Amino acid sequence: PATPRVALVTGTTSGIGEAVVKHFCQQGHQVLAVDFNAAGEAKADAAGAAFFQADLTEADACRAAVAEAVKRFGHLDILVNNAGIQHVANIEEFPEDKWRQILDLMLTAPFLLTQAAWPHMRKAGWGRIVNIASVHAQVASPGKAAYISAKHGMIGLTKTAALEGGAHGITVNAICPAYVKTPLVDNQIADQARMHGMKEQDVIEQIMLKNAAIKRLIDPSEVASLAGYLASDAAGAVTGSSWNIDLGWTAQ
Ligand code: NAD
């Protein structure tokens, strides 16, 4: 069994974040689930986690989320930066406000949460930061300039934090999944179908799984298991790395 820890997970009302909260609670961790959607409260409650409502595009909300975890549980050991959104449009039409919102949520918030969590982990001489990046942190696809730029940036943050954390027992790693069966992907399937004038099933098979050796979508629980490993004592020698769960996408 895992040593019980205090974890803060962002973006927990659905998809990968919800699965991570469940997995961590099953492992006996004390978890603060953070999301701007109030529906996350019931989800967190069902899993046995506490909930804090915060819009992570706001800097003060990021700092308040960490403060809440420390106030409630006395310290903070694990941070999972997961909250994310997608917007699909070609660069020519990409709205500036969407670009800024995506960068704020998916790059600046992970930075601010890392910064706020850092002194608590450094004091304890133990910390785990798991950044949910994407296969789109490694390769690009058209129509996703903001998302891909934020995810590539997240790898830079991961590597830098890993170097700074090494002396303090803090490890920082990224997980890079291909398409996971979540509401975020369901919305993208609909968007892509509209953009290309295709049927949704054809979008899945011909676009989303085009580069995949294994022709299926990933289950959120598969990402949660890897997050569990990276957050464990067993992964103490693993830092600054990017872990692909990409159905073989980047093998070619
Ligand atoms: P999802 O849409 O199911 O969940 C995202 C969560 O983030 C939701 O609970 C939402 O309420 C929350 N959120 C959105 N904006 C927020 C804000 N401003 N403040 C606080 N919370 C906010 O998405 P998912 O598919 O589970 O994605 C989770 C992460 O995994 C994202 O970073 C995404 O980029 C990444 N990812 C997903 C896939 C995939 O195929 N689903 C693949 C690779 C990476």
Side-chain angles (χ1 to χ4, degrees):
T3 310
R5 305 281 184 186
V6 175
L8 188 164
V9 182
T10 70
T12 54
T13 303
S14 62
I16 295 169
E18 184 184 2
V20 170
V21 169
K22 247 185 237 164
H23 184 67
F24 279 9
C25 286
Q26 281 162 5
Q27 289 195 313
H29 298 320
Q30 291 176 294
V31 180
L32 183 66
V34 179
D35 203 292
F36 75 159
N37 183 346
E41 179 141 31
K43 295 272 182 93
D45 204 47
F51 180 72
F52 185 70
Q53 191 175 6
D55 178 348
L56 298 169
T57 60
E58 306 285 340
D60 286 343
C62 294
R63 292 186 275 265
V66 170
E68 174 68 17
V70 173
K71 191 176 101 192
R72 200 178 262 273
F73 301 121
H75 53 117
L76 179 59
D77 306 305
I78 299 168
L79 168 64
V80 179
N81 285 307
N82 168 75
I85 53 172
Q86 179 60 280
H87 185 83
V88 180
N90 292 326
I91 289 172
E92 226 183 320
E93 291 96 39
F94 209 97
E96 183 184 336
D97 62 334
K98 273 287 161 199
W99 168 274
R100 290 189 190 280
Q101 184 192 5
I102 287 176
L103 271 284
D104 282 348
L105 178 62
M106 293 165 58
L107 188 55
T108 303
F111 162 71
L112 292 169
L113 288 159
T114 298
Q115 186 176 55
W118 204 262
H120 304 288
M121 295 178 177
R122 186 168 43 70
K123 239 184 293 157
W126 197 97
R128 296 283 184 267
I129 299 175
V130 180
N131 291 325
I132 308 299
S134 168
V135 67
H136 280 129
Q138 321 251 356
V139 296
S141 301
K144 300 179 179 174
Y147 184 95
I148 288 166
S149 301
K151 293 300 192 188
H152 276 68
M154 190 179 227
I155 300 300
L157 174 64
T158 300
K159 289 178 180 174
T160 307
L163 296 185
E164 294 187 18
H168 306 292
I170 304 170
T171 70
V172 189
N173 293 285
I175 297 180
C176 300
Y179 292 104
V180 185
K181 182 82 185 104
T182 71
L184 182 141
V185 159
D186 289 339
N187 292 335
Q188 270 188 73
I189 293 168
D191 281 351
Q192 295 268 8
R194 246 195 323 276
M195 213 166 129
H196 302 286
M198 292 168 75
K199 284 196 199 122
E200 296 201 351
Q201 193 53 36
D202 291 343
V203 168
I204 296 174
E205 284 166 17
Q206 290 166 30
I207 298 181
M208 300 199 148
L209 298 177
K210 180 167 157 265
N211 297 311
I214 299 167
K215 300 285 185 190
R216 67 167 174 84
L217 297 177
I218 300 160
D219 192 81
S221 66
E222 296 179 289
V223 180
S225 306
L226 180 52
Y229 166 68
L230 291 172
S232 73
D233 281 313
V238 179
T239 199
S241 66
S242 299
W243 290 61
N244 298 346
I245 309 189
D246 68 358
L247 310 164
W249 181 330
T250 56
Q252 57 180 297

